[in-house]
């Protein structure tokens, strides 16, 4: 059974400490790492926000958040010990006269302790907070700053953030987080490829027909209307989560698993992505927006009806893209990316579909192909679809069935979620699962070209009913290639 290795004592300051991300993910993640014995008792956790709260009030808010996240595993005794690490300081990060000395006094006086500044705020505050930390003398050599996505809204704004933060913190101190990279099955993708002779020799254009990457959500805006309508599915999901999954799927084996070897191989994939521009955007991409429909048995509103304003919106809630990685390994292999809101159910999959056998000896159907399906959420696991003889008399019939590895069934102990793992990596200074500056900018370069093509081409997103599989055009894009989206649950 895996053992949790304690990290060295550290301090963490969460800007936006009363926000949704802190309550749903960050505070519960730290609490669970404490329960598993990874966080030393001399560490300090400081929440900060504009709200005028006392430390006692903040601890109560944190307790409610951690208890909700823990469910039946809630341990009140462990919380009593953990809450002694938690402090709160009221700071308006946009105010030059903010009380930074009080914040500094809450941190360890031991200069050897790593100090993590987690910016769970709007990206427009990243540079200002970094500059204020520098002026307050808190940007020490052992400091780390964590930036949540999105890093900007285009290449220009991403560069402004990277330049501003980089003027205070060295690149080795900047952790650009994408929680998808902390998921067990995402990390297992590299193990499947590089630790199993069964797969790596087949991982190329010689044996793989195509790759599908799907991130589907069954929810709508859920209180994110103001942000989402300025962003859309392409900026919100494709530029970060989906391109990172594509990179891990397509990258070459790194020489080592250290920080820059892995990230260097990912940047090579981003640089090899064929730009999509002009009329190619109409052929290789689909934009959609959900209208009123049904979720389960309940009617739900359309996207425009969920917005706070009465104006029309051309923001896409669904994107499908046929991408190409123009290098020796992947030439001619399409990578189909698909993400959307208000789809039938929530799931994230990477599907590696292998080429059919050269000769259908058993009269197999078009569906009789080998697939490796890596399920990232909600029920993490790996399934390898193989062809077997269907039992019974009356002739030889072939059926496609999966060899199934379910994380829930195979690992009965609770293992850390993505934020838990990534937070401990920040404390250790391990950058391998975080984005490098040139990764972010290369991804924006490719996405900006697509946005420009959409702007020039005009036209509104195709409407699709909430609860459906998305616009008809997405299925037609696959059908033209003689393929279909994998919809297996």
């Amino acid at each position: 059974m895996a053992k949790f290795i304690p990290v060295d004592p550290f301090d963490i300051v969460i800007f936006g400490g009363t926000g949704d991300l802190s309550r749903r993910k960050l505070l519960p993640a730290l609490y669970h790492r404490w329960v598993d014995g990874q966080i030393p008792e001399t560490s300090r956790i400081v929440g900060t926000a504009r709200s005028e709260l006392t430390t006692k009030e903040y601890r109560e808010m944190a307790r409610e958040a951690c208890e909700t996240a823990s469910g039946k595993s809630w341990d009140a005794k462990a919380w009593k010990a953990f809450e002694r690490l938690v402090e709160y300081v009221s700071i308006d990060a946009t105010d030059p006269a903010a009380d930074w000395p009080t914040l500094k006094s809450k941190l360890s006086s031991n200069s050897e302790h790593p100090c993590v500044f987690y910016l769970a705020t709007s990206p427009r505050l990243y540079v200002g907070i970094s500059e204020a930390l520098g002026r307050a003398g808190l940007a020490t050599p052992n400091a780390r700053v964590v930036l949540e996505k999105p890093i900007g809204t285009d290449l220009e704004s991403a560069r402004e953030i990277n330049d501003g933060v980089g003027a205070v913190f060295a690149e080795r101190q900047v952790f650009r987080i994408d929680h998808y990279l902390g998921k067990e099955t995402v990390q297992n993708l590299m193990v499947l490829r590089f630790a199993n002779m069964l797969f790596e020799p087949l991982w190329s254009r010689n044996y793989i027909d195509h790759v599908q990457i799907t991130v589907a959500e069954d929810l709508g805006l859920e209180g994110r209307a103001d942000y989402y309508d300025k962003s859309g599915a392409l900026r919100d999901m494709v530029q970060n989560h989906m391109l990172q999954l594509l990179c891990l799927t397509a990258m070459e084996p790194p020489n080592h698993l250290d920080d820059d070897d892995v990230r260097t191989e990912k940047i090579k994939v981003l640089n090899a992505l064929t730009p999509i521009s002009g009329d190619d955007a109409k052929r290789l991409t689909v934009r959609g927006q959900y209208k009123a429909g049904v979720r389960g048995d309940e009617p739900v509103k359309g996207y425009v009806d969920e917005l706070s304003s009465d104006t029309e919106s051309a923001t896409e809630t669904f994107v499908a893209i046929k991408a190409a990685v123009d290098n020796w390994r992947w030439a001619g292999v399409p990578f189909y990316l698909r993400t959307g809101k208000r789809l039938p159910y929530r799931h994230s999959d990477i599907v590696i579909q292998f080429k059919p056998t050269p000769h259908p000896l058993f009269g197999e159907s078009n569906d009789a192909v080998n697939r490796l399906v890596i399920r990232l959420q909600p029920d993490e696991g790996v399934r390898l679809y193989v062809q077997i003889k269907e039992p019974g008399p009356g002739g030889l019939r072939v059926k496609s069935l999966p060899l199934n590895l379910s994380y829930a069934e195979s690992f009965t102990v609770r293992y850390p979620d993505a934020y838990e793992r990534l937070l401990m990596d920040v404390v250790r200074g391990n950058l391998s699962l975080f984005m490098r500056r040139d990764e972010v900018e290369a991804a924006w370069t490719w996405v900006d070209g697509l946005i420009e093509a959409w702007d020039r081409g005009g036209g509104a997103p195709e409407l699709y009913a909430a609860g459906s599989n998305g616009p008809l055009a997405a299925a037609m894009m696959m059908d033209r290639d003689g393929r279909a989206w994998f919809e297996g649950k």
Side-chain angles (χ1 to χ4, degrees):
M1 187 172 67
K3 293 182 179 179
F4 297 115
I5 300 174
V7 296
D8 292 331
F10 67 94
D11 299 337
I12 182 169
V13 178
I14 304 175
F15 290 90
T18 59
D20 182 65
L21 178 63
S22 296
R23 287 182 282 108
R24 285 192 307 110
K25 295 294 184 181
L26 303 182
L27 290 167
L30 292 165
Y31 165 72
H32 287 135
R33 293 302 86 228
W34 166 266
V35 170
D36 285 333
Q38 276 198 279
I39 298 180
E41 62 184 11
T42 52
S43 299
R44 303 185 185 189
I45 299 166
V46 182
T48 180
R50 288 179 293 181
S51 304
E52 294 289 343
L53 298 176
T54 64
T55 289
K56 182 179 180 181
E57 290 170 332
Y58 186 70
R59 286 176 176 174
E60 178 59 23
M61 185 209 77
R63 184 197 62 78
E64 292 175 1
C66 293
E67 185 173 0
T68 299
S70 299
K72 295 180 179 179
S73 66
W74 172 249
D75 185 336
K77 183 178 179 181
W79 170 258
K80 283 294 184 183
F82 174 76
E83 72 172 353
R84 291 197 291 267
L85 279 60
V86 179
E87 300 278 353
Y88 181 79
V89 177
S90 176
I91 285 185
D92 182 350
T94 64
D95 183 0
D99 189 9
W100 296 98
T102 298
L103 173 62
K104 192 172 183 178
S105 70
K106 297 289 185 181
L107 304 179
S108 171
S109 59
N110 189 337
S111 61
E112 298 300 314
H113 282 197
C115 187
V116 177
F117 298 104
Y118 200 115
L119 308 193
T121 66
S122 168
R124 63 184 175 81
L125 301 179
Y126 290 171
V127 174
I129 293 175
S130 297
E131 291 173 345
L133 290 171
R135 290 193 298 269
L138 291 170
T140 63
N142 279 330
R144 289 106 197 237
V145 61
V146 182
L147 308 182
E148 270 284 342
K149 69 97 174 172
I151 310 294
T153 56
D154 54 20
L155 178 60
E156 182 180 0
S157 57
R159 281 177 172 163
E160 289 175 358
I161 290 173
N162 283 331
D163 287 344
V165 175
V168 180
F169 295 96
E171 180 64 19
R172 63 173 178 78
Q173 296 175 283
V174 181
F175 292 72
R176 300 173 186 87
I177 194 168
D178 184 337
H179 72 273
Y180 265 60
L181 299 186
K183 292 181 178 293
E184 288 286 349
T185 38
V186 173
Q187 295 179 59
N188 200 33
L189 177 58
M190 287 199 294
V191 177
L192 279 172
R193 282 189 59 186
F194 304 135
N196 292 287
M197 199 61 187
L198 175 66
F199 291 121
E200 179 54 24
L202 308 181
W203 213 266
S204 74
R205 62 189 299 272
N206 296 323
Y207 297 98
I208 292 177
D209 178 79
H210 71 276
V211 177
Q212 298 181 28
I213 301 175
T214 295
V215 178
E217 301 177 88
D218 59 349
L219 299 177
L221 295 181
E222 305 303 312
R224 300 174 71 220
D226 290 341
Y227 160 74
Y228 195 88
D229 200 49
K230 296 181 180 68
S231 173
L234 184 65
R235 290 183 172 95
D236 185 52
M237 295 297 295
V238 175
Q239 187 274 335
N240 40 77
H241 297 329
M242 301 196 75
L243 287 186
Q244 285 293 310
L245 295 179
L246 186 153
C247 286
L248 289 173
T249 303
M251 74 183 199
E252 295 297 318
N255 292 329
H256 305 282
L257 290 179
D258 63 13
D259 303 346
D260 275 336
D261 277 11
V262 173
R263 299 196 294 179
T264 295
E265 295 304 331
K266 288 197 293 175
I267 192 70
K268 290 178 183 177
V269 176
L270 291 171
N271 289 335
L273 279 173
T274 302
I276 299 177
S277 58
D279 291 339
D280 286 342
K282 297 178 181 178
R283 179 173 55 87
L284 300 176
T285 71
V286 175
R287 289 185 294 164
Q289 184 186 95
Y290 64 84
K291 60 183 180 180
V294 176
R295 182 190 179 202
D297 296 326
E298 297 293 326
V300 293
K301 295 180 179 180
Y303 174 77
V304 172
D305 296 325
E306 287 193 59
L307 297 177
S308 55
S309 65
D310 295 328
T311 59
E312 294 297 312
S313 172
T315 298
E316 77 284 353
T317 62
F318 178 100
V319 176
I321 301 172
K322 180 182 177 180
V325 179
D326 189 16
N327 63 16
W328 185 274
R329 182 184 289 263
W330 296 110
V333 177
F335 285 73
Y336 297 100
L337 311 180
R338 176 179 58 160
T339 185
K341 289 186 173 295
R342 286 293 186 211
L343 298 179
Y345 63 102
R346 171 178 172 261
H347 67 107
S348 297
D349 297 323
I350 301 172
V351 179
I352 312 297
Q353 181 154 319
F354 295 93
K355 291 182 177 181
T357 55
H359 175 62
L361 185 62
F362 303 102
E364 300 96 325
S365 68
N366 291 334
D367 193 49
V369 293
N370 298 124
R371 291 189 184 95
L372 179 65
V373 179
I374 301 164
R375 171 61 57 91
L376 310 179
Q377 63 181 19
D379 47 344
E380 293 180 304
V382 179
R383 287 172 288 165
L384 176 62
Y385 284 80
V386 297
Q387 314 314 313
I388 65 165
K389 177 189 176 297
E390 188 172 353
L396 194 154
R397 296 179 300 276
V398 174
K399 189 170 184 178
S400 181
L401 288 174
L403 304 175
N404 187 26
L405 166 63
S406 166
Y407 270 70
E409 295 175 4
S410 300
F411 303 100
T412 55
V413 298
R414 182 190 181 276
Y415 50 88
D417 72 8
Y419 274 100
E420 293 174 47
R421 176 182 296 275
L422 293 173
L423 280 169
M424 295 301 95
D425 276 353
V426 175
V427 173
R428 294 188 179 102
N430 180 6
L431 284 156
S432 59
L433 294 177
F434 298 84
M435 291 176 285
R436 206 165 63 189
R437 172 180 179 147
D438 52 356
E439 277 186 77
V440 173
E441 295 179 6
W444 273 123
T445 298
W446 189 77
V447 167
D448 278 0
L450 181 50
I451 292 173
E452 183 181 353
W454 282 353
D455 289 343
R456 288 185 177 181
E462 179 182 338
L463 296 178
Y464 63 96
S468 71
N469 281 319
L472 179 61
M476 292 174 63
M477 181 176 74
M478 296 289 278
D479 188 64
R480 287 194 298 269
D481 292 345
R483 302 182 176 104
W485 295 106
F486 178 77
E487 303 292 0
K489 289 191 177 182

